[in-house]
């Protein structure tokens, strides 16, 4: 009986010890999982990217009477390189079209980034950024005209292009691509934009012509039917004709302006075609 009691007590002690060891093991696993989660959080949790990614094809102002237009941005994972094609416009007539450049990676090491300007032409500027890590989430390219020394550049002189998954395309970068190839692409893109603008202007012009035609028809209808109208109907129509006369004058002014815009754009299209043919 005594031996059985001792054995039972030993069994209970062993059970408690095993149970305690199991709890410690489970607790250790939980702590390890938490540690792994936080240790890898920079990989598993993406940092917030900007909602203000630079729109392709949109004009942005910077500095004094300067603007830029992002044409495209391409990232090559294999080369860890980013190519940015942008069009700068300078309305200052100071003939200073060179820029200082700097780049920054969101939540990353920007010290290794290398920014190089490849081409700088009237219609396009090609900038390449090297050593861009594969896991980058967002890159900002800063630029300022070389109107002052670099240390004197201020924020109001500086423009920026924010690049992330919203406006970048993944692909190969042709490091041997010639200036002529870029130029032909730009001419094609400019021609495409011009034709779209021309179509829109001609549509607006036709709409104004239709308004003018409707006013003339209304005037003619009044003349033909005046004899059959009551005095009140005639009074209302005469007031309407006064309004139509004012509208007619306004529409004729707008038509002349649209016609001038269309002629100017057609001249630009012709000149662009000639430039492309002379490359």
């Amino acid at each position: 009986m005594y031996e059985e009691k001792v054995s039972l007590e030993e069994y209970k002690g062993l059970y408690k010890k095993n149970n305690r060891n199991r709890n410690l093991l489970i607790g250790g696993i939980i702590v390890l999982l938490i540690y792994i989660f936080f240790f890898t959080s920079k990989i598993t949790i993406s940092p917030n990217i900007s909602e203000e990614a630079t729109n392709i094809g949109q004009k942005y102002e910077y500095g004094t009477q300067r603007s830029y237009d992002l044409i495209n941005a391409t990232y090559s994972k294999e080369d860890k390189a980013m190519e940015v094609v942008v069009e700068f416009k300078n309305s200052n007539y100071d003939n200073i079209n060179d820029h200082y450049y700097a780049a920054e990676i969101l939540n990353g090491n920007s010290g290794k980034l290398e920014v190089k300007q490849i081409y700088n032409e009237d219609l396009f500027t090609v900038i390449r950024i090297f050593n861009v890590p594969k896991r980058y989430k967002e890159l900002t390219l800063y630029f300022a005209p070389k109107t002052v020394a670099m240390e004197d550049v201020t924020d109001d002189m500086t423009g920026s292009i924010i690049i992330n998954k919203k406006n970048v395309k993944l692909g190969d970068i042709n490091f041997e691509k010639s200036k002529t190839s870029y130029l032909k692409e730009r001419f094609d893109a400019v021609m495409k934009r011009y034709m779209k603008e021309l179509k829109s202007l001609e549509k607006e012009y036709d709409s104004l012509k239709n308004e003018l035609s409707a006013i003339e028809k209304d005037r003619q209808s009044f003349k033909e039917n005046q004899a059959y109208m009551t005095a009140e109907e005639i009074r209302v129509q005469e007031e309407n004709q006064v309004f139509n006369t004012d509208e007619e004058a306004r529409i004729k002014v707008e038509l002349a302006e649209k016609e001038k815009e269309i002629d100017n754009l057609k001249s630009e299209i012709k000149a662009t075609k000639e430039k492309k043919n002379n490359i």
Side-chain angles (χ1 to χ4, degrees):
M1 182 69 70
Y2 176 74
E3 291 180 357
E4 290 180 1
K5 186 176 180 179
V6 172
S7 298
L8 181 61
E9 291 298 329
E10 288 178 348
Y11 175 78
K12 288 180 178 179
L14 183 61
Y15 174 79
K16 289 180 180 179
K17 183 178 180 181
N18 290 339
N19 191 45
R20 185 167 59 253
N21 290 339
R22 186 170 67 249
N23 290 338
L24 288 172
L25 179 61
I26 293 172
I29 291 173
I30 292 172
V31 171
L32 180 61
L33 289 174
I34 292 172
Y35 174 77
I36 291 172
F37 173 78
F38 281 105
F39 180 75
T40 60
S41 61
K42 288 187 178 179
I43 298 174
T44 58
I45 301 176
S46 299
N48 293 328
I49 63 172
S50 174
E51 294 297 325
E52 300 297 329
T54 303
N55 293 322
I56 291 175
Q58 180 176 333
K59 181 181 177 182
Y60 293 88
E61 305 287 340
Y62 77 107
T64 303
Q65 293 185 308
R66 292 177 182 269
S67 65
Y68 62 95
D69 181 346
L70 175 62
I71 298 168
N72 61 61
T74 305
Y75 177 65
S76 169
K77 285 187 175 181
E78 182 179 351
D79 299 304
K80 293 184 180 180
M82 175 90 69
E83 180 176 272
V84 180
V85 184
V86 60
E87 181 180 5
F88 290 112
K89 289 188 178 179
N90 177 14
S91 302
N92 285 305
Y93 303 107
D94 58 9
N95 203 32
I96 299 176
N97 299 308
D98 290 325
H99 290 79
Y100 299 112
Y101 297 102
E104 180 182 28
I105 293 176
L106 177 67
N107 294 343
N109 182 7
S110 304
K112 294 182 179 180
L113 296 179
E114 183 182 358
V115 184
K116 287 186 178 181
Q117 177 181 281
I118 309 302
Y119 300 118
N120 185 22
E121 302 296 321
D122 289 340
L123 286 175
F124 67 94
T125 297
V126 179
I127 304 144
R128 291 182 188 145
I129 307 163
F130 299 93
N131 302 320
V132 180
K134 293 180 180 180
R135 291 186 179 276
Y136 92 98
K137 298 299 177 183
E138 182 172 284
L139 181 145
T140 302
L141 174 67
Y142 299 98
F143 46 85
K146 291 185 177 180
T147 53
V148 297
M150 182 180 285
E151 59 269 20
D152 295 326
V153 171
T154 58
D155 288 347
D156 58 351
M157 296 170 57
T158 306
S160 63
I161 294 174
I162 299 174
I163 300 168
N164 55 41
K165 63 182 181 180
K166 296 180 181 180
N167 58 2
V168 71
K169 62 180 180 180
L170 299 177
D172 296 329
I173 296 174
N174 182 1
F175 296 102
E176 304 301 321
K177 191 171 181 178
S178 67
K179 185 189 299 185
T180 300
S181 296
Y182 283 106
L183 195 55
K184 286 181 178 179
E185 285 183 1
R186 283 301 294 140
F187 276 133
D188 289 340
V190 169
M191 281 297 299
K192 186 177 179 179
R193 188 180 76 223
Y194 280 167
M195 296 308 295
K196 185 178 180 180
E197 289 177 7
L198 180 61
K199 186 176 180 180
S200 178
L201 284 173
E202 288 177 338
K203 187 176 180 180
E204 292 172 10
Y205 183 85
D206 290 341
S207 179
L208 289 169
K209 290 284 285 184
N210 289 336
E211 287 183 47
L212 204 60
S213 178
I215 289 173
E216 182 58 35
K217 285 182 181 179
D218 186 66
R219 181 183 291 124
Q220 189 63 31
S221 176
F222 174 56
K223 288 180 180 179
E224 293 175 355
N225 295 288
Q226 187 174 1
Y228 309 103
M229 294 180 179
T230 64
E232 179 62 19
E233 287 174 334
I234 291 173
R235 184 189 67 78
V236 171
Q237 282 295 318
E238 285 176 343
E239 289 179 355
N240 187 51
Q241 293 308 311
V242 172
F243 174 78
N244 281 348
T245 299
D246 292 339
E247 280 295 286
E248 186 177 43
R250 177 189 65 80
I251 291 170
K252 285 181 178 180
V253 170
E254 287 191 28
L255 275 171
E257 291 174 350
K258 291 295 177 190
E259 192 168 356
K260 187 176 180 180
E261 285 183 61
I262 289 171
D263 288 342
N264 289 340
L265 187 54
K266 285 182 176 179
S267 296
E268 287 288 340
I269 290 171
K270 182 180 178 182
T272 302
K273 286 181 178 178
E274 290 176 352
K275 287 179 182 178
K276 183 182 177 182
N277 292 335
N278 291 330
I279 294 177

